[in-house]
Amino acid sequence: MDLLAYTKTIAERIEAEAARAEVPVAVCIIDVHGNIILKHRMNGAPTFSLELSERKAYTSALVGLRTAELSPMVQPGQALFPLMGVAGGRFCSMGGGAPLQVDGQLVAGVGISGGTVEQDVEILEAGLREPAVAAAIDMKLEVVVLPVSDVERAKRFYAGLGWRLDIDYRGKDSYRVIQFTPPGSGCSVIFGGNLTTAAPGSVKGLHLIVSDIETACDDLRRRGIAISAPFHDPAGIFHHAGANELAAGPNPQRKSYASYASFSDPDGNGWVFQEITTRLTGHIEDDDESFTPELTNVIRRAEAAAHNSDHSGSVPLNPVRAVAGA
């Protein structure tokens, strides 16, 4: 462990709390051998605060207790009363010192001084509390804005795909919002007037997940929509951009995630059908042959890496989720 980096982090958190409380303090951190690791004073902290913070840090590092907890133990008649007279008076029972532990092991002591005892204790405890981890916020992709040159033509095209028309709103100054949603999709497309400055037709590679690539292609052809023949990528876990690296026809073994077909809207915004018959879950059984060898190897390496890093076991679903529609 980098003890200096750790103590710098602790000192920064304490100083941030002191700044919020508007009580400048001195901070000192001493290791369990009595050596000073870090010691400095904020602007405006009393000059004597440096010495007091050092004594509090020394005490907590060597005794392993908060100095506020030590105070009643060193009163006359108590078992630790002699402590205050040893080590040249370096021990201190004034609140504001605390031991620092890593994985249950005492590694140092921290002391602060600058306010009243109550203020020092409050600032110290606030600085030692682990910052709250923000809860993960769901971020669901639900809308893609398409740049088009002819709104009515685009509306006819997407209606012709059999997609659901959700909105057709007309506002002032040629402002218009049209929203379509593909069958079974949680994401919609929006286009219209005064919605985007992107060049018409500049959106490429939007993937539509289908369970049968050939049936999906046949459906578009019946609707009068031009679509490529199915293709696959013999070497990748996703399809390459260049046609030279692609092969005609769906994946010969019809592996999941491995067959594609492409089409465009009248402006040139590009769409790709991707066939998924079995979903990746972050773990592939030894006898599971649903996926291409390339994709299987990637997932298993990621799972092994996660396991070796002492993660909870499942791959963070999963290396190709974003590009493979998982």
Side-chain angles (χ1 to χ4, degrees):
M1 183 193 71
D2 187 337
L3 187 56
L4 178 59
Y6 170 67
T7 56
K8 283 182 177 179
T9 300
I10 296 295
E12 288 171 0
R13 282 168 26 192
I14 290 171
E15 289 192 359
E17 293 296 334
R20 275 190 282 271
E22 298 183 348
V23 179
V25 299
V27 181
C28 182
I29 300 179
I30 293 178
D31 68 18
V32 292
H33 305 292
N35 302 308
I36 294 176
I37 302 172
L38 177 153
K39 180 179 179 181
H40 56 94
R41 178 170 63 96
M42 296 174 65
N43 289 335
T47 54
F48 64 79
S49 60
L50 274 173
E51 182 177 352
L52 283 179
S53 65
E54 181 180 336
R55 292 188 181 191
K56 294 177 185 180
Y58 180 86
T59 303
S60 289
L62 273 68
V63 179
L65 295 173
R66 280 169 164 72
T67 51
E69 297 171 353
L70 184 64
S71 183
M73 303 179 188
V74 296
Q75 300 305 313
Q78 299 302 312
L80 294 182
F81 175 68
L83 179 67
M84 306 311 294
V86 301
R90 290 191 70 184
F91 288 107
C92 176
S93 62
M94 187 182 300
L100 297 178
Q101 295 186 341
V102 175
D103 296 330
Q105 180 178 357
L106 179 65
V107 295
V110 55
I112 75 166
S113 178
T116 65
V117 172
E118 292 76 13
Q119 288 173 327
D120 289 348
V121 171
E122 184 175 342
I123 291 169
L124 176 64
E125 295 302 324
L128 292 179
R129 282 194 290 270
E130 289 291 335
V133 178
I137 303 298
D138 286 347
M139 298 182 187
K140 300 176 181 178
L141 181 62
E142 295 193 356
V143 172
V144 174
V145 178
L146 299 178
V148 301
S149 58
D150 187 324
V151 176
E152 293 299 336
R153 182 180 65 177
K155 181 180 178 181
R156 290 192 299 271
F157 177 82
Y158 286 100
L161 289 176
W163 294 10
R164 185 185 71 229
L165 175 63
D166 302 318
I167 298 171
D168 187 349
Y169 172 81
R170 297 174 185 266
K172 297 179 180 180
D173 301 324
S174 301
Y175 178 70
R176 191 170 178 188
V177 180
I178 296 176
Q179 176 176 305
F180 278 96
T181 302
S185 175
C187 183
S188 304
V189 297
I190 284 179
F191 56 87
N194 289 337
L195 293 180
T196 177
T197 58
S202 59
V203 174
K204 306 293 185 182
L206 297 170
H207 280 58
L208 296 166
I209 306 309
V210 298
S211 58
D212 188 310
I213 194 79
E214 293 176 326
T215 299
C217 290
D218 289 342
D219 178 65
L220 259 62
R221 293 190 187 99
R222 283 195 300 269
R223 296 175 181 274
I225 308 296
I227 185 168
S228 75
F231 61 89
H232 66 282
D233 191 318
I237 64 169
F238 191 57
H239 59 80
H240 287 79
N244 293 337
E245 296 168 287
L246 305 177
N251 176 267
Q253 293 80 37
R254 299 299 284 270
K255 301 291 188 181
S256 192
Y257 295 89
S259 300
Y260 311 89
S262 62
F263 67 97
S264 299
D265 71 9
D267 284 286
N269 295 305
W271 294 89
V272 177
F273 279 153
Q274 181 181 26
E275 183 179 77
I276 296 181
T277 53
T278 302
R279 289 279 178 177
L280 287 166
T281 61
H283 172 73
I284 301 178
E285 297 291 344
D286 291 342
D287 59 350
D288 189 342
E289 299 182 352
S290 303
F291 313 104
T292 63
E294 293 82 6
L295 185 53
T296 298
N297 290 338
V298 166
I299 297 304
R300 287 177 176 162
R301 285 199 301 269
E303 185 180 21
H307 178 74
N308 292 337
S309 299
D310 293 325
H311 289 303
S312 58
S314 64
V315 180
L317 185 74
N318 64 52
V320 295
R321 179 187 179 105
V323 294

